[in-house]
Amino acid sequence: VKILPDDLKLNPKIVTHWYLQDGYHNKARGYHRISTQSFSKIEVERLSEMLDKLLGISSDVQLHGGGPVIYITKTNGRDKFTDCISEHVPFQCFKYKL
């Protein structure tokens, strides 16, 4: 079980590293998903709100595999998300996730 720290502050670099470790890009369906099933639904909703408030990235929280995950679709901010993280991807081999 993971616990979301109360003092967590998201920025593009943190979101990039988080996504590269726990994210998935479904190019055929046009969404990014961040696997957050180990957090409570309340914590995942808080992360989703932080993405929106701090970075202007809208997302949806949906159940997947028995837990809440964050979805970023074309209609709710996928392009802004990609722009936000693309300059912080440290290695070329991770570019496929964009």
Side-chain angles (χ1 to χ4, degrees):
V1 175
K2 296 180 181 179
I3 298 171
L4 188 65
D6 290 332
D7 61 347
L8 177 67
K9 301 285 187 239
L10 294 181
N11 63 46
K13 190 171 186 176
I14 289 171
V15 171
T16 301
H17 285 270
W18 174 32
Y19 173 72
L20 292 177
Q21 293 175 38
D22 293 329
Y24 168 75
H25 184 194
N26 186 321
K27 291 182 182 183
R29 294 195 174 164
Y31 68 80
H32 293 281
R33 180 180 71 215
I34 302 175
S35 299
T36 51
Q37 295 96 323
S38 296
F39 293 102
S40 71
K41 186 174 183 198
I42 291 170
E43 290 173 315
V44 176
E45 288 171 348
R46 195 170 126 225
L47 285 166
S48 178
E49 289 173 13
M50 290 171 70
L51 284 170
D52 189 22
K53 287 181 183 176
L54 298 173
L55 302 172
I57 299 167
S58 297
S59 60
D60 295 318
V61 176
Q62 299 178 14
L63 291 181
H64 179 80
V69 296
I70 293 175
Y71 281 89
I72 303 166
T73 64
K74 184 171 186 166
T75 57
N76 72 2
R78 183 195 69 199
D79 294 340
K80 188 167 190 168
F81 176 75
T82 302
D83 290 344
C84 178
I85 68 171
S86 63
E87 67 184 75
H88 300 285
V89 176
F91 302 105
Q92 186 66 29
C93 62
F94 288 118
K95 295 285 186 180
Y96 75 95
K97 284 195 154 194
L98 301 175

